[in-house]
Amino acid sequence: MDLRVQLPGLNLKNPIMPASGCYGFGREFSELYDLSTLGAIMIKAATPMARFGNPLPRVAETPNGMLNAIGLQNPGVDKIMNTELPWLDGYDVPIIANVAGSTLEDYVHVAKTICEAPNVHALELNISCPNVKEGGIAFGTCPQTAALLTRAVKEVSTVPVYVKLSPNVTDIVAIAKAVEAAGADGLTMINTLLGMRLDLHTGKPILANQTGGLSGPAIKPVAIRMIHQVYPHVNIPIIGMGGISTTEDVLEFLYAGASAVAVGTMNFVDPYICPNLIEQLPATLAKYGLTSIEEAIGRSHR
Amino acid sequence: MITEQVQVLTNRKIAEATYEMVLQAEMASKMKPGQFVNLKIDGFLLRRPISICQYDQFKHTFTIIYKVVGDGTKKLTTLQSGDSLDCMGPLGNHFPIEKETTAILVGGGVGVPPLYETAKQLIAANTQVTVVLGFADRAAAFYVEAFKQLGAIVYVATDNGTLGTHGRVTNVIANENLQAEYIYACGPEAMLRALETHFEKGYLSFEARMACGIGACMACVCKDRQDTDLYYRICKEGPVFPVGKVGF
């Protein structure tokens, strides 16, 4: 079965890719399988300068999910340009570069720099990271600010720009429409849900950052609902993510309106999950009477 | 690193809330002292990183010792001979085995297990081994006799004095004036930090909350002592670091 999907800037061999922040720059997984089998790779967020991230503990388990507060740890955009992206160029796989920062100028600088890499085929504007004090989610919870940032990045980027939406908002449709009007080429959704766990002995939050982003199968229904909600209101494609662990999950995301999907947390549990899903997807599509990916996209709306 | 369904051979309680599990696994032939495995427990999302206590490369078996700290490890206690577990390993780097010298091995609580295989290999390499084990109390103590049977000199410290020295492992080292060429230690960060004031050479194994165990998630990082821009992933570049390398 033909699994190819065409999206702005991206000719995907298949609709499966690892999500940003759950895959580093792919090095650890390249020891396990050929990265060229992936539809694309969403690399770890880049900021202008290197960031160590938050104090430990940074993760805590939850029922069917996990909380994380890594805090955008990354080696900085220049090092990513000079070492990680050239290394990834050895694989036949398009890269979606996640762009982050504390100020509008940070985002513009990173976007302008990283889109010059030949294998970066699209940007993912991270206006939804809940684990940094400045920037991140602050840009993604207000339609006007999100639009302003999208417009600024669109002006400097030579590749299509996808905006990663936060689920921690009252009206996600308003944000989606605002970034589309500002020129976004696509949406990726959803980022993590803000959460907290307390230590029963100390009574204090387990995470040093106190709050963290909830991910994993626990958030899948929220992601499905939000994609389903946004899809009829926009004319740009959606890459869906949030707790995907099976090919049935992939199908549900496509039905809701996603044109491709990203796998996040489950890479930590089963490092082979992406190639396994790619291999199993045709059989699952056939099982539900589908002959192409196209037929599945947005099926819930027809 | 491989992912494998490993078979439970035995799973028994050896101390208060502490269990020893012996597993049959192909990956045992690739193990080194101080490495760990990442176990998937039915009903829980994240894997549990647990250090390898000892292994037999010819029989393809290895032993883990785990403490019941939550629902996941509680579930682990219900497994019986014949049950299988989804296991990733061996993971991380390992304790280098220094030959024909002297070594003090210091373990605190669940930091004790990885020192057992290490002690065995050091002794086989003609290194004179002294072991200092720290536990909460007598009921929590395990493997004291096992270390003696390897040929090590063994000291014990308990927080309440119900076994061995009343106090910490560092009290034993000071009281007995223990000295050696190398320190090998595994346990909580405060213990490792205290040990660095007594020893200049050796290897410390760090504990941390992990998600992936293979270096992808950045949950278990620590900084370099000198270069604060340099960091290490405890699961990948560690868990074992030379004395003086990690910035506390």
Side-chain angles (χ1 to χ4, degrees):
Chain A
M1 194 180 293
D2 188 359
L3 293 181
R4 284 178 297 180
V5 176
Q6 292 273 348
L7 296 176
L10 303 162
N11 291 325
L12 308 177
K13 287 181 200 128
N14 61 68
I16 312 284
M17 64 189 84
S20 180
C22 300
Y23 206 75
F25 298 95
R27 286 184 190 267
E28 297 73 30
F29 297 87
S30 74
E31 294 167 18
L32 307 177
Y33 61 85
D34 181 2
L35 302 186
S36 301
T37 57
L38 299 167
I41 298 175
M42 292 170 146
I43 56 172
K44 182 127 183 73
T47 52
M49 306 300 285
R51 280 180 63 98
F52 178 72
N54 291 326
L56 272 57
R58 294 177 170 184
V59 292
E61 196 181 39
T62 67
N64 238 326
M66 68 179 276
L67 288 171
N68 89 79
I70 306 297
L72 297 180
Q73 176 162 16
N74 80 96
V77 68
D78 293 337
K79 188 144 185 228
I80 294 170
M81 283 297 282
N82 297 333
T83 60
E84 303 301 336
L85 286 167
W87 175 81
L88 275 166
D89 208 18
Y91 295 94
D92 176 25
V93 60
I95 304 301
I96 302 172
N98 188 291
V99 173
S102 307
T103 63
L104 186 135
E105 290 72 28
D106 283 354
Y107 282 90
V108 168
H109 171 74
V110 173
K112 199 174 174 177
T113 310
I114 211 161
C115 72
E116 294 301 323
N119 50 340
V120 169
H121 291 214
L123 303 183
E124 181 181 47
L125 204 53
N126 186 352
I127 56 165
S128 44
C129 176
N131 299 324
V132 289
K133 287 197 173 60
E134 292 157 339
I137 200 169
F139 288 105
T141 46
C142 163
Q144 289 77 22
T145 325
L148 191 77
L149 196 70
T150 304
R151 201 168 289 120
V153 168
K154 270 299 285 179
E155 267 175 32
V156 297
S157 178
T158 54
V159 297
V161 175
Y162 292 71
V163 180
K164 188 165 190 174
L165 303 187
S166 170
N168 304 297
V169 295
T170 314
D171 184 1
I172 195 156
V173 173
I175 313 248
K177 286 165 80 172
V179 299
E180 182 186 29
D185 298 284
L187 302 172
T188 67
M189 53 191 289
I190 58 175
N191 206 319
T192 55
L193 286 146
L194 208 48
M196 182 185 276
R197 271 201 65 198
L198 301 177
D199 183 305
L200 293 177
H201 295 287
T202 65
K204 301 279 188 259
I206 292 176
L207 299 177
N209 188 54
Q210 303 217 331
T211 61
L214 180 65
S215 65
I219 73 164
K220 195 189 83 175
V222 179
I224 298 287
R225 183 266 292 178
M226 290 189 147
I227 294 167
H228 185 270
Q229 216 175 355
V230 166
Y231 179 82
H233 296 283
V234 296
N235 291 308
I236 49 176
I238 299 167
I239 299 174
M241 68 269 291
I244 291 172
S245 66
T246 66
T247 47
E248 282 76 11
D249 294 342
V250 175
L251 208 54
E252 223 179 315
F253 273 80
L254 297 178
Y255 284 180
S259 296
V261 298
V263 180
T265 302
M266 290 308 288
N267 287 294
F268 301 154
V269 181
D270 173 10
Y272 295 95
I273 184 144
C274 286
N276 286 346
L277 291 178
I278 293 163
E279 196 191 315
Q280 296 159 8
L281 189 57
T284 304
L285 288 167
K287 184 181 167 189
Y288 293 94
L290 301 159
T291 53
S292 71
I293 295 285
E294 210 58 40
E295 273 180 67
I297 299 169
R299 188 180 171 194
S300 64
H301 301 276
R302 291 193 289 273
Chain B
M1 191 280 284
I2 55 171
T3 304
E4 185 186 343
Q5 287 291 325
V6 299
Q7 307 296 318
V8 177
L9 296 176
T10 60
N11 187 20
R12 64 185 185 103
K13 190 173 178 181
I14 56 167
E16 184 60 38
T18 308
Y19 288 73
E20 176 201 69
M21 187 186 275
V22 182
L23 298 143
Q24 184 83 46
E26 286 302 312
M27 70 174 72
S29 63
K30 303 203 165 21
M31 291 177 173
K32 294 197 167 120
Q35 287 190 296
F36 65 98
V37 293
N38 217 358
L39 295 174
K40 179 92 178 84
I41 302 168
D42 272 352
F44 297 88
L45 185 72
L46 297 179
R47 290 171 182 270
R48 267 55 180 178
I50 298 177
S51 54
I52 297 161
C53 173
Q54 66 168 326
Y55 53 81
D56 187 321
Q57 297 190 313
F58 301 103
K59 289 185 189 159
H60 295 291
T61 61
F62 72 97
T63 304
I64 56 170
I65 291 172
Y66 60 95
K67 192 167 180 187
V68 178
V69 289
D71 293 336
T73 38
K74 194 171 168 185
K75 179 78 188 284
L76 210 50
T77 66
T78 64
L79 294 185
Q80 296 174 348
S81 175
D83 288 340
S84 67
L85 265 174
D86 177 342
C87 177
M88 264 168 64
L91 297 167
N93 69 350
H94 58 91
F95 279 120
I97 300 300
E98 301 288 349
K99 297 182 178 72
E100 294 172 0
T101 179
T102 53
I104 296 179
L105 277 55
V106 182
V110 287
V112 170
L115 299 177
Y116 187 69
E117 181 69 38
T118 309
K120 213 197 251 186
Q121 296 200 15
L122 285 167
I123 289 165
N126 289 323
T127 287
Q128 191 196 315
V129 171
T130 303
V131 178
V132 186
L133 307 174
F135 299 103
D137 53 29
R138 176 184 280 270
F142 59 89
Y143 268 44
V144 176
E145 281 308 311
F147 276 100
K148 283 181 187 163
Q149 279 165 22
L150 291 179
I153 301 162
V154 182
Y155 296 90
V156 178
T158 49
D159 295 343
N160 64 1
T162 46
L163 187 67
T165 300
H166 188 170
R168 298 174 185 275
V169 288
T170 39
N171 296 133
V172 175
I173 291 165
N175 295 352
E176 305 289 334
N177 192 24
L178 298 180
Q179 287 171 2
E181 201 63 27
Y182 291 94
I183 175 92
Y184 287 76
C186 182
E189 210 175 278
M191 185 193 95
L192 300 181
R193 197 182 319 183
L195 287 169
E196 283 213 338
T197 61
H198 292 263
F199 299 91
E200 283 173 10
K201 268 199 308 189
Y203 309 95
L204 309 178
S205 180
F206 287 71
E207 299 170 339
R209 271 177 185 263
M210 295 176 184
C212 72
I214 59 169
C217 74
M218 299 297 185
C220 64
V221 293
C222 59
K223 283 184 179 167
D224 182 81
R225 175 80 49 95
Q226 264 85 43
D227 182 353
T228 49
D229 284 341
L230 191 61
Y231 62 85
Y232 307 107
R233 295 163 295 184
I234 288 169
C235 70
K236 187 86 175 174
E237 283 81 35
V240 177
F241 295 95
V243 166
K245 192 160 188 184
V246 171
F248 287 107

Coordinates of all heavy atoms in Angstrom, one line a residue, chain A residues 11 14 43 67 80 87 127 129 138 166 192 206 227 232 236 244 262-263 273:
Chain A
N11 N 7.9 15.7 1.5 CA 7.5 14.5 0.8 C 7.7 13.3 1.7 O 8.8 12.8 1.8 CB 8.3 14.4 -0.5 CG 8.0 15.5 -1.5 OD1 6.8 15.9 -1.6 ND2 9.0 15.9 -2.2
N14 N 6.1 8.0 4.5 CA 5.0 7.4 5.3 C 4.6 8.5 6.3 O 5.4 9.4 6.5 CB 5.4 6.1 5.9 CG 6.5 6.3 6.9 OD1 6.4 6.9 7.9 ND2 7.7 5.8 6.5
I43 N 13.4 17.2 15.2 CA 14.5 17.1 16.1 C 14.2 18.0 17.4 O 13.3 18.8 17.4 CB 15.8 17.6 15.4 CG1 15.6 19.0 14.8 CG2 16.2 16.6 14.4 CD1 16.9 19.6 14.2
L67 N 5.1 12.9 33.3 CA 5.3 14.3 33.4 C 6.7 14.6 33.1 O 7.6 13.8 33.6 CB 5.0 14.8 34.8 CG 3.5 14.9 35.2 CD1 3.5 15.3 36.7 CD2 2.7 15.9 34.4
I80 N 24.0 22.7 16.6 CA 23.1 21.8 15.9 C 23.3 21.9 14.4 O 23.4 20.9 13.7 CB 21.6 22.2 16.3 CG1 21.3 21.8 17.8 CG2 20.6 21.4 15.4 CD1 20.0 22.4 18.3
W87 N 25.3 15.5 10.4 CA 25.3 14.0 10.7 C 24.0 13.4 10.2 O 24.0 12.3 9.5 CB 25.5 13.8 12.2 CG 25.4 12.3 12.5 CD1 26.3 11.4 12.4 CD2 24.2 11.7 13.0 NE1 25.8 10.2 12.8 CE2 24.5 10.3 13.1 CE3 22.9 12.1 13.3 CZ2 23.6 9.3 13.6 CZ3 22.0 11.1 13.7 CH2 22.3 9.8 13.9
I127 N 5.7 27.2 20.3 CA 5.1 28.2 21.1 C 4.2 27.6 22.2 O 3.3 28.2 22.7 CB 4.2 29.2 20.3 CG1 3.1 28.5 19.5 CG2 5.1 30.0 19.4 CD1 2.0 29.4 19.0
C129 N 5.9 25.1 24.8 CA 6.6 24.4 25.8 C 6.2 24.9 27.2 O 6.3 26.1 27.4 CB 8.1 24.6 25.6 SG 9.0 23.8 27.0
A138 N 4.0 30.9 26.8 CA 3.5 32.3 26.9 C 3.1 32.9 25.5 O 2.2 33.7 25.4 CB 4.5 33.2 27.6
S166 N -0.5 24.6 21.8 CA -0.6 24.1 23.2 C -2.1 23.8 23.5 O -3.0 24.4 23.1 CB -0.2 25.3 24.1 OG -0.6 24.9 25.5
T192 N 2.3 19.1 25.3 CA 1.9 18.4 26.6 C 0.9 19.3 27.4 O 0.8 20.5 27.2 CB 3.1 18.2 27.5 OG1 3.8 19.4 27.7 CG2 4.0 17.2 26.8
I206 N 7.0 16.4 43.0 CA 8.1 15.5 42.7 C 9.1 16.2 41.7 O 10.3 16.1 41.9 CB 7.6 14.2 42.0 CG1 6.8 13.4 43.1 CG2 8.7 13.4 41.4 CD1 6.1 12.2 42.5
I227 N -7.8 18.1 17.6 CA -7.6 18.0 16.2 C -9.0 18.0 15.5 O -9.2 18.7 14.5 CB -6.7 16.8 15.8 CG1 -5.3 16.9 16.4 CG2 -6.7 16.5 14.3 CD1 -4.5 15.7 16.3
P232 N -12.1 21.4 10.9 CA -13.0 22.1 10.0 C -12.8 23.6 9.8 O -13.4 24.2 8.9 CB -14.4 21.8 10.7 CG -14.2 20.9 11.8 CD -12.7 21.0 12.1
I236 N -5.1 24.5 6.4 CA -3.7 24.0 6.4 C -3.6 22.7 7.1 O -4.5 22.3 7.9 CB -2.7 25.0 7.1 CG1 -3.3 25.4 8.5 CG2 -2.5 26.3 6.2 CD1 -2.4 26.4 9.3
I244 N 0.4 8.5 21.0 CA 0.2 7.4 20.0 C 1.1 6.2 20.4 O 2.3 6.4 20.6 CB 0.6 7.9 18.6 CG1 -0.5 8.9 18.1 CG2 0.8 6.7 17.6 CD1 -0.1 9.6 16.8
A262 N 3.0 12.2 14.8 CA 4.3 12.0 15.4 C 4.2 11.2 16.7 O 3.1 11.3 17.4 CB 4.9 13.4 15.8
V263 N 5.2 10.4 17.0 CA 5.2 9.5 18.1 C 6.2 10.1 19.1 O 7.3 10.4 18.8 CB 5.6 8.1 17.8 CG1 5.6 7.2 19.0 CG2 4.7 7.6 16.7
I273 N 9.5 1.6 18.3 CA 8.0 1.9 17.9 C 7.8 2.5 16.6 O 6.9 2.0 15.9 CB 7.3 2.7 19.1 CG1 5.8 2.8 18.7 CG2 7.9 4.1 19.2 CD1 4.9 2.8 19.9

